[in-house]
Amino acid sequence: MQISFAPPASVEAGALVLGVFADGVLSNAAGAVDRRSKGALSRALKAASKFKGGRDETLALYGIAGFDQIVLFGLGKPEDVDAVRLQRAGGAVAALLNHAGIGSATAQFEGIVLAGHGAGAAAAEFAFGARLRAWRFERYRTKEKAEAKPSLKTLVVQTSDAAAAKKAFARADAVAQGVFLTRELVSEPANILYPESFAAKAKELADLGVEVEILGEKQMRKLGMGALLGVGQGSVRESQLVVLQWKGAGGKRKGEAPVAFVGKGVTFDTGGISLKPGQGMWDMKWDMGGAGVVTGLFKALALRKAKVNAVGVLGLVENMPSGDAQRPGDIVTSMSGQTIEVWNTDAEGRLVLADALWYTQDRFKPKAMVNLATLTGAVIIALGTDHAGLFSNDDALAERLAAAGKAVEEKLWRLPLGDAYDKQIDSDIADMKNITGSRDAGSIIGAQFLQRFVNKVPWAHLDIAGTTWSGKDTPTVPKGATAFGVRLLERFVTDNYEG
């Protein structure tokens, strides 16, 4: 879909898109159309009893005020209009237009503003939402009927400051491209996306200025990464560790310590010898969601030339059962030197992250470190699919992450850590075990395990098991891979590390 911005002008073709506030109050642009049509728009709106101009509401009208199609979108009360609400409106409109088979549309934004920003900002946020919702994973569709395909090809957003809107949208679109890369990676089946092919995909970021290193099993074995390598030893696919570096801080900040992001990248998780039930196992292609988010984040940072030094580390493995697979009861030695008794081979993500986190803090000495992982089903029981779990050893870091999540509507909920939980993973014959044998506090136990590998670095763990994949559409996220975390972390970097 092509998105452009233009000054206010008459609309000669395609659908006309107009905003409406709570209780049917027309925006300036909608009011102008209503006056030209001698109240036809108001009468049509009054007849549509279910449309009140509330958040996420849309209404399609046909043959009104001289237009083939008019699409109205609701924004609620003017004082409640923020960036997220505008993005949701853009996404809802894009979904409606595609569903209706409309090929082109013009949105008029006179009278819709974003508090504290110029006239073009609201238009840019609306367009960003439309861009996010219009994405679709189409690679394997070969027989889809033409009428089932997305129809919307062009969207023009009219605003009195088109130049400012275009500039703001360029930055937002860089973030969108990172989101789309993550959605693509998470959507790919495991016969296409496995550790080596994932690493090759990450290598493409070098074209954007990201420094990319790929460590194979021989190099990881030399580093002592027995925890990560143990997870992948049952697979014919070689495990990989990918290191991404974006060195965007200039001037006096050029050599400052980076902020680090670490992603769990289990490209398929059978559970290993502790085999998962067959029902639903197909979903385990997205157990690499954390690594997918880190990859997409670095594309976004590179495309918008972020003024930050950042490091990304992806632990990429495939967890398979075979004659070579890790067994329950095995003991592995992590890069840190700490030994781990593997009680359950399906608690594998924490083993991967144990070595990836240690490697990151040991090599790069980051000022802060955030890991993302589809780590536990328990977090879905605790929080459902609306919030990701947040764990941290640093209150300030946790608060900054939560604020960034709230700003982009990728919400986090902090859960506790503590000695009482930590003692539960002590092993009788090794330094620790990877589960407790109880279902109690499953997500906390996973986070507590990870904390043993971060030393004193300010660290946060985001358990995104419930938010990586969605079974339904939302205004800005189509059903499927969500890329939850890309926008959150991009905002986190913007607000805290690019001063």
Side-chain angles (χ1 to χ4, degrees), residues 318-460:
E318 186 178 60
N319 187 21
M320 299 290 285
S322 74
D324 294 324
Q326 185 168 255
R327 296 157 291 260
D330 283 1
I331 294 177
V332 296
T333 302
S334 68
M335 183 183 175
S336 70
Q338 298 175 91
T339 56
I340 304 163
E341 184 183 8
V342 181
W343 271 23
N344 191 308
T345 64
D346 194 25
E348 83 300 328
R350 63 200 69 183
L351 300 174
V352 173
L353 288 172
D355 282 338
L357 285 165
W358 188 268
Y359 175 85
T360 303
Q361 61 88 30
D362 186 57
R363 176 180 172 184
F364 294 106
K365 310 297 189 293
K367 60 177 64 178
M369 185 164 61
V370 180
N371 75 256
L372 300 95
T374 50
L375 201 73
T376 66
V379 81
I380 305 175
I381 303 302
L383 300 177
T385 59
D386 195 51
H387 288 73
L390 165 63
F391 304 83
S392 184
N393 64 0
D394 186 277
D395 291 342
L397 176 59
E399 289 168 6
R400 292 196 295 267
L401 285 163
K406 183 177 180 180
V408 302
E409 206 175 37
E410 292 187 343
K411 295 173 285 187
L412 303 175
W413 191 266
R414 192 175 183 185
L415 294 164
L417 295 167
D419 290 342
Y421 299 110
D422 193 69
K423 291 175 182 177
Q424 295 180 48
I425 57 173
D426 288 340
S427 167
D428 291 337
I429 58 173
D431 294 324
M432 70 194 83
K433 54 197 178 189
N434 71 332
I435 64 167
T436 65
S438 166
R439 298 182 65 185
D440 295 353
S443 297
I444 298 172
I445 294 300
Q448 204 70 57
F449 181 96
L450 298 179
Q451 191 179 25
R452 293 196 179 195
F453 299 90
V454 301
N455 282 329
K456 295 182 180 180
V457 177
W459 157 81

Side-chain angles (χ1 to χ4, degrees), residues 149-494:
K149 296 180 180 180
S151 60
L152 187 62
K153 303 301 181 185
T154 60
L155 174 64
V156 179
V157 187
Q158 294 184 352
T159 171
S160 60
D161 197 344
K166 183 177 180 180
K167 182 179 180 180
F169 181 71
R171 177 186 172 112
D173 204 36
V175 179
Q177 297 312 309
V179 168
F180 298 161
L181 174 57
T182 298
R183 289 180 183 174
E184 175 188 339
L185 291 169
V186 174
S187 298
E188 286 284 10
N191 61 321
I192 302 298
L193 192 80
Y194 43 87
E196 300 101 321
S197 62
F198 193 143
K201 192 71 177 176
K203 184 71 174 177
E204 295 175 8
L205 295 179
D207 295 338
L208 302 177
V210 179
E211 295 181 15
V212 184
E213 301 172 63
I214 301 173
L215 281 63
E217 290 186 354
K218 183 177 180 180
Q219 293 160 292
M220 287 188 281
R221 194 167 289 111
K222 188 174 181 180
L223 288 167
M225 292 188 175
L228 185 154
L229 291 171
V231 175
Q233 72 187 43
S235 173
V236 297
R237 303 293 191 183
E238 181 174 328
S239 299
Q240 309 274 282
L241 190 82
V242 176
V243 181
L244 309 172
Q245 294 188 69
W246 173 253
K247 299 176 180 179
K252 295 180 180 179
R253 298 176 54 233
K254 187 174 181 179
E256 75 179 18
V259 57
F261 303 95
V262 181
K264 170 190 170 183
V266 180
T267 59
F268 195 77
D269 182 22
T270 65
I273 296 297
S274 304
L275 193 67
K276 293 179 180 292
Q279 182 67 27
M281 196 191 289
W282 45 81
D283 282 341
M284 288 299 97
K285 69 176 187 176
W286 48 256
D287 206 21
M288 39 58 66
V293 169
V294 175
T295 309
L297 170 66
F298 273 72
K299 182 169 186 177
L301 296 178
L303 283 173
R304 70 168 185 78
K305 306 298 181 186
K307 295 177 174 61
V308 66
N309 290 339
V311 168
V313 175
L314 319 176
L316 307 178
V317 303
E318 186 178 60
N319 187 21
M320 299 290 285
S322 74
D324 294 324
Q326 185 168 255
R327 296 157 291 260
D330 283 1
I331 294 177
V332 296
T333 302
S334 68
M335 183 183 175
S336 70
Q338 298 175 91
T339 56
I340 304 163
E341 184 183 8
V342 181
W343 271 23
N344 191 308
T345 64
D346 194 25
E348 83 300 328
R350 63 200 69 183
L351 300 174
V352 173
L353 288 172
D355 282 338
L357 285 165
W358 188 268
Y359 175 85
T360 303
Q361 61 88 30
D362 186 57
R363 176 180 172 184
F364 294 106
K365 310 297 189 293
K367 60 177 64 178
M369 185 164 61
V370 180
N371 75 256
L372 300 95
T374 50
L375 201 73
T376 66
V379 81
I380 305 175
I381 303 302
L383 300 177
T385 59
D386 195 51
H387 288 73
L390 165 63
F391 304 83
S392 184
N393 64 0
D394 186 277
D395 291 342
L397 176 59
E399 289 168 6
R400 292 196 295 267
L401 285 163
K406 183 177 180 180
V408 302
E409 206 175 37
E410 292 187 343
K411 295 173 285 187
L412 303 175
W413 191 266
R414 192 175 183 185
L415 294 164
L417 295 167
D419 290 342
Y421 299 110
D422 193 69
K423 291 175 182 177
Q424 295 180 48
I425 57 173
D426 288 340
S427 167
D428 291 337
I429 58 173
D431 294 324
M432 70 194 83
K433 54 197 178 189
N434 71 332
I435 64 167
T436 65
S438 166
R439 298 182 65 185
D440 295 353
S443 297
I444 298 172
I445 294 300
Q448 204 70 57
F449 181 96
L450 298 179
Q451 191 179 25
R452 293 196 179 195
F453 299 90
V454 301
N455 282 329
K456 295 182 180 180
V457 177
W459 157 81
H461 158 54
L462 307 185
D463 193 334
I464 58 173
T467 56
T468 291
W469 192 270
S470 177
K472 61 182 180 180
D473 295 327
T474 68
T476 57
V477 182
K479 177 181 176 181
T482 66
F484 181 104
V486 175
R487 295 175 62 203
L488 186 162
L489 294 179
E490 190 277 333
R491 181 62 178 262
F492 169 72
V493 168
T494 298

Side-chain angles (χ1 to χ4, degrees), residues 1-4 15 97 102-106 151-156:
M1 178 178 63
Q2 181 180 354
I3 295 176
S4 60
L97 293 170
I102 295 170
S104 64
T106 300
S151 60
L152 187 62
K153 303 301 181 185
T154 60
L155 174 64
V156 179

